[in-house]
Amino acid sequence: MLHIRNVKNGVSKNCAVRDYHPDPRTKTGLTYSGAHGRKKRIDGSAGEHDCFWGCGRKAEDWAYFHADHSERAELSGREAGRMFSEGPEHYVPMCKPCHARFDSAHRRLKAGTAGVSGEHVAFWHTFVA
């Protein structure tokens, strides 16, 4: 936080010394939206690619594949609680139906609820392991 008393007390030489009080207009850290935007800047729109699952449809989304051991959760805003990765290599192009099925299966797998077979788990581990 900017305080004139830091200048008065000699903590900083002037109000431009950002080591003691970062610019509040600058966000620190990558957000969920920022990670998706970065992927789009690097690899273009998801719509330029076929769906990762080979369903025959064009992709519509860059989907986080949940394979990053350093994944993060969005802390605030409309995307609060959503998991994402800072690494663009952890996103694949998916059409909306495949993306919805994938996210639903991932939630069930993570929760350990019924409906996810041993085949699903084996398939999942081929990508995550």
Side-chain angles (χ1 to χ4, degrees):
M1 182 177 255
L2 298 174
H3 290 289
I4 195 67
R5 71 176 173 259
N6 287 346
V7 176
K8 181 180 173 191
N9 296 335
V11 172
S12 57
K13 300 282 184 223
N14 61 50
C15 288
V17 178
R18 296 293 175 202
D19 295 339
Y20 297 104
H21 43 257
D23 187 342
R25 298 169 297 178
T26 305
K27 287 186 176 183
T28 57
L30 191 62
T31 64
Y32 175 90
S33 296
H36 283 79
R38 175 190 286 171
K39 178 64 176 177
K40 184 176 180 178
R41 282 190 304 279
I42 292 170
D43 291 323
S45 173
E48 298 170 6
H49 304 271
D50 293 329
C51 181
F52 173 80
W53 295 113
C55 67
R57 291 185 286 264
K58 280 292 194 186
E60 298 175 64
D61 302 322
W62 284 112
Y64 170 50
F65 206 66
H66 298 279
D68 184 357
H69 297 291
S70 301
E71 69 182 6
R72 296 179 46 194
E74 181 64 44
L75 300 176
S76 62
R78 68 181 183 147
E79 306 297 349
R82 299 190 84 177
M83 303 307 290
F84 69 98
S85 170
E86 291 188 12
E89 68 276 10
H90 293 288
Y91 292 85
V92 295
M94 287 189 204
C95 67
K96 294 258 186 223
C98 288
H99 192 175
R101 280 194 302 275
F102 175 77
D103 283 352
S104 177
H106 180 261
R107 280 190 299 275
R108 289 192 313 267
L109 179 63
K110 201 162 186 167
T113 58
V116 178
S117 70
E119 285 179 338
H120 287 104
V121 173
F123 176 75
W124 179 255
H125 284 287
T126 62
F127 289 102
V128 175

